[in-house]
Every structure is written in C-alpha cells, then in structure tokens.
Amino acid sequence: MKKQLSKILALGLSLTMFLTACGAGKTSTKTEETTTGAAVSESTTGTAEAGEVFVIGNPQPLTGVNAQVGESANMAAELAVKVINKEGGFNGVPIKLVNYDDQGSPEEAVKIANKMIQVDKVDAILGSLTSSNVLAAGGIYNEAKIPTIGTGNSPTWMQQGWEYVFRAGLNTALSMPHVTEKMLNLDVKKVAVFRGLDDAAKTSAETFIEEAKKAGIEVTTIESYTEGDTDFSGQVAKMINSKPDAVFCSTNGPTQAIFAKQLRQLGFNKLCFNREGIPVDTINVAGDAVNNWVFAYPYVVYSSVEEAKDPEMKEFLELYYQAYGVMPFHDCAYRSWDAMMVFWEASKIAGSNDKEAIKDAISKIKDFKSLGGMLDFTDGTREGLHTLNDYIIIDGKYLDFNEWIKAGNITKLAE
C-alpha cells in the first residue's frame, strides 16, 4: 500500500492538488441524489471509455447511533476511490462508489442489497460495518455472485460458507482466545461479562464465554443492555457483587464510555477487557474511567497524525486529515480503506474486472500490507487478517500491554 500512495505523489499529484480534488476541510465528499435514492460519489474520473465504470455498492449506517462511525467509513472509502481513480482505476476503468444508508437495520440491508444488484448493477460490495446487516444481506450478494468485503467484525457472517464474501479486518473469534490467554497469564480466575444484543456484541461475548470456560475461567454473571440504554447501574451492581477479578465488555462505541464511567463510579477499579479497539472519542468522553482497559486489536484510532508510527498508517492519516480537516472518528475508516485496497490489488492480480476473476484473485492475495497488518487470503477461510496487537489505555494513551506488564505495572495495580 505504501508503494501505491508513494507512486501517486511521485507522479506529481502533490498533496495540495490531491486535496483540491477531495475538497479539503469538508467532512464528506459532495454527492448527488440518484433516482434509486443512493448517494453517488463524484470520484469517477479515469481513462476508460465514456460510460464505462466499475460500480461498488457501499451500504453503511449513516443515521442512528452509529451514524458518525458510518460517515467515517464512507469518507475513507471515497478517499480510496479518488486515490485509485487518479491511478487509472481498475485496469483503466474508473470506480463509481454508490453509498447507501442501511440504518443499521437488517430489514433495510436486504432492501438495499436487492436495489444495488437489480438497479445499480454493482460489480462489488464494500460493507456493511454492521455485522447483523452483512448476515442479513450476505446470502443475497453471494447468490448474485457479487464479490463482497464486509467490514463488520462478528464471526457469524463468515461462518455461512458464502464463497463471494470476504473480510480484510478483524474477526473477533481470533481475538477471544487471545484475550482469555492474557487473562490466564494474569491469574484472572473469575470474570463478569457485559454485552449488547446486536450480532457483533452478542456473538463476541458468546465466543469469549466459550473460550473462558475452556480455559477454566469462571464467568460470574452475564449482563445485557439494549442499544440506546444509558443507565447501567443495575447491571454494574450485579457485576461488582459477583466479585470478579476482571470485566469483559462487548458493546458498541456509544455505550462504552457511559458504561466505563458507571463501572468506575461504583467502585470497580480492576482490569477491564474490551472486545474491540476503544476509539479516541470514547477516551475523551470517559476520561480516567477507561484507564486500565485492555484490548487485542489490529490498530488504534489516533488523535493526531504524529502519534502513528507505522509508515502506511501515517501516510493514510496524512491524506485523510488533509482531505477532510479531521482525523478518522473510528477504526471503521481503516476497515473501509483496507477493503478498497484489497479490491484494487485483486483487480491487478486478475488483470480483469470480471466479477468471477476478482473473486478468485482475492483468494490469491498474500503478504499484502494493510493498515491492520499483513493480509493473507490463501488459507481458504476468506479471512485476510490473522494477527493482533495488545493495548492498554493509561492516562488517555494507548500503550503496549505486554511492555506495560513487563514493567511491573500489574503488581502496582494490585496494590
């Protein structure tokens, strides 16, 4: 990916010119309404014959509790389209990105899936970040033989055997055994679980509970919430009264900060483990309440470009910030970017934009550097990411959890 971005700059597309194309300082790229109700990105310049385009459907939650997350994912996807189209698109054919608001609703996801296939005649699908929506619509994409890269991280929709559906981000089934191993190493014998009821939160919690039981870790209580709830004092009281050594939390972003504050206010100061990365926005809202929260994840959400050490990540963040004047709100932006780059790489391997060729080419991608690490799709699972990093939040900063442990901080925490 670094070579791809560096090549763009080497070809004379300075950041200033690039930003002019993106519309610097805006929070989203300009779109126009079509008769289908979709928003179409204007990033379709390229070298193909007039009217020839590669259409990618992009259903994401743009209203509701995850609207900001969905918008961040859209912004990254549109940025990727501009980058790719400046390079000539897919084999000389420009990309047209068709954005839809799936509202985080499986019913809406099914409606949109049929519209994208029947009306928009999409060549590929990117999304949704809402796993329950991928689960609802994935079979439709697969039956239509549309190459799809979902951006949600639930295990469920990748267990359906859909050969046209892939993932370039994290499957939380990978992180749950990793988390329980960390707990064992830290002598955690009892854990309380707090979970949401959406597919991603529910299945992540179920996977964790299964792994914890295998490891001999007692699950003292399982407390649930409904999306939109703000008072968790009852659940927190039950969790604390069960006397756990740690808490495992499987929630969505908007809930994390509220739960963390209430958990700490009611006196639980031990380690908390999260099913996914905790974004900067949650840290800003929760403050000290998210200190000593741990997660295993491919990446973190940075508050500034300078914080990133990985060259590929830093380069992406520079492009994103200068295009929009803000940092990515959520790691779903990384997921959308990586998914688009996987499609681009597949088009190069295939040497064709035929949907079947693109699908087969994704399965040949190996040692491909993404924002989340090296991707390898050659094992037949249709999963590209197989590695994780361990983080802990201390004083609002992301630290390497393993280094933190080596420094003796667990002993200090216990004191």
Side-chain angles (χ1 to χ4, degrees), residues 23-46:
K26 297 181 180 179
T27 56
S28 63
T29 55
K30 184 180 178 183
T31 59
E32 60 177 307
E33 291 300 313
T34 70
T35 56
T36 65
V40 182
S41 169
E42 291 184 335
S43 312
T44 55
T45 56

Side-chain angles (χ1 to χ4, degrees), residues 151-223:
T151 49
N153 56 23
S154 167
T156 310
W157 53 270
M158 285 295 283
Q159 296 169 348
Q160 307 306 310
W162 296 325
E163 62 177 315
Y164 287 82
V165 180
F166 299 80
R167 173 163 35 203
L170 175 68
N171 180 337
T172 52
L174 171 66
S175 60
M176 295 306 102
H178 189 85
V179 168
T180 54
E181 182 181 357
K182 290 293 177 189
M183 288 183 175
L184 280 177
N185 293 339
L186 296 171
D187 202 30
V188 171
K189 294 183 172 63
K190 299 191 297 181
V191 60
V193 174
F194 182 69
R195 71 176 188 186
L197 297 176
D198 63 283
D199 182 65
K202 185 172 179 287
T203 56
S204 294
E206 288 172 349
T207 304
F208 168 77
I209 292 165
E210 181 180 342
E211 293 296 328
K213 289 179 178 178
K214 286 180 185 176
I217 298 172
E218 178 188 351
V219 177
T220 60
T221 185
I222 303 168
E223 301 299 325

Side-chain angles (χ1 to χ4, degrees), residues 10-297:
L11 286 172
L13 290 173
S14 68
L15 280 175
T16 301
M17 293 172 64
F18 186 84
L19 299 178
T20 300
C22 289
K26 297 181 180 179
T27 56
S28 63
T29 55
K30 184 180 178 183
T31 59
E32 60 177 307
E33 291 300 313
T34 70
T35 56
T36 65
V40 182
S41 169
E42 291 184 335
S43 312
T44 55
T45 56
T47 58
E49 296 289 333
E52 185 181 4
V53 292
F54 188 95
V55 183
I56 298 180
N58 180 38
Q60 300 289 2
L62 302 178
T63 54
V65 294
N66 287 312
Q68 282 184 286
V69 179
E71 179 63 12
S72 186
N74 267 17
M75 290 160 71
E78 292 179 352
L79 183 61
V81 168
K82 289 184 181 296
V83 167
I84 296 167
N85 281 345
K86 287 293 182 181
E87 279 282 88
F90 288 179
N91 298 303
V93 176
I95 302 165
K96 181 173 77 171
L97 190 67
V98 182
N99 299 324
Y100 276 95
D101 177 12
D102 67 19
Q103 303 172 22
S105 160
E107 293 79 10
E108 189 66 20
V110 170
K111 294 177 186 177
I112 289 172
N114 287 309
K115 186 178 288 186
M116 287 190 295
I117 293 167
Q118 297 169 12
V119 179
D120 299 309
K121 308 295 183 184
V122 294
D123 298 294
I125 301 287
L126 187 158
S128 168
L129 65 87
T130 306
S131 289
S132 54
N133 285 14
V134 185
L135 184 61
I140 299 172
Y141 303 147
N142 193 69
E143 186 176 352
K145 299 184 177 181
I146 306 293
T148 300
I149 301 181
T151 49
N153 56 23
S154 167
T156 310
W157 53 270
M158 285 295 283
Q159 296 169 348
Q160 307 306 310
W162 296 325
E163 62 177 315
Y164 287 82
V165 180
F166 299 80
R167 173 163 35 203
L170 175 68
N171 180 337
T172 52
L174 171 66
S175 60
M176 295 306 102
H178 189 85
V179 168
T180 54
E181 182 181 357
K182 290 293 177 189
M183 288 183 175
L184 280 177
N185 293 339
L186 296 171
D187 202 30
V188 171
K189 294 183 172 63
K190 299 191 297 181
V191 60
V193 174
F194 182 69
R195 71 176 188 186
L197 297 176
D198 63 283
D199 182 65
K202 185 172 179 287
T203 56
S204 294
E206 288 172 349
T207 304
F208 168 77
I209 292 165
E210 181 180 342
E211 293 296 328
K213 289 179 178 178
K214 286 180 185 176
I217 298 172
E218 178 188 351
V219 177
T220 60
T221 185
I222 303 168
E223 301 299 325
S224 302
Y225 73 93
T226 301
E227 202 65 53
D229 289 352
T230 56
D231 182 4
F232 309 117
S233 55
Q235 295 99 315
V236 170
K238 290 179 183 178
M239 295 170 77
I240 293 175
N241 289 338
S242 71
K243 302 187 184 309
D245 300 318
V247 161
F248 176 79
C249 183
S250 184
T251 69
N252 290 317
T255 303
Q256 288 172 346
I258 304 170
F259 173 72
K261 291 176 91 169
Q262 293 179 17
L263 186 68
R264 297 309 193 200
Q265 286 168 357
L266 290 177
F268 188 86
N269 296 313
K270 298 177 183 179
L271 287 178
C272 297
F273 292 80
N274 212 53
R275 76 174 173 95
E276 62 180 0
I278 297 177
V280 170
D281 183 68
T282 298
I283 296 175
N284 292 338
V285 174
D288 291 342
V290 286
N291 281 340
N292 301 318
W293 279 67
V294 179
F295 56 93
Y297 215 59

Side-chain angles (χ1 to χ4, degrees), residues 280 301-308 314 317 321 327-328 397:
V280 170
V301 179
Y302 298 98
S303 58
S304 70
V305 174
E306 292 70 30
E307 291 178 20
K314 193 161 191 171
L317 292 175
Y321 183 79
M327 296 291 288
K397 302 294 183 183

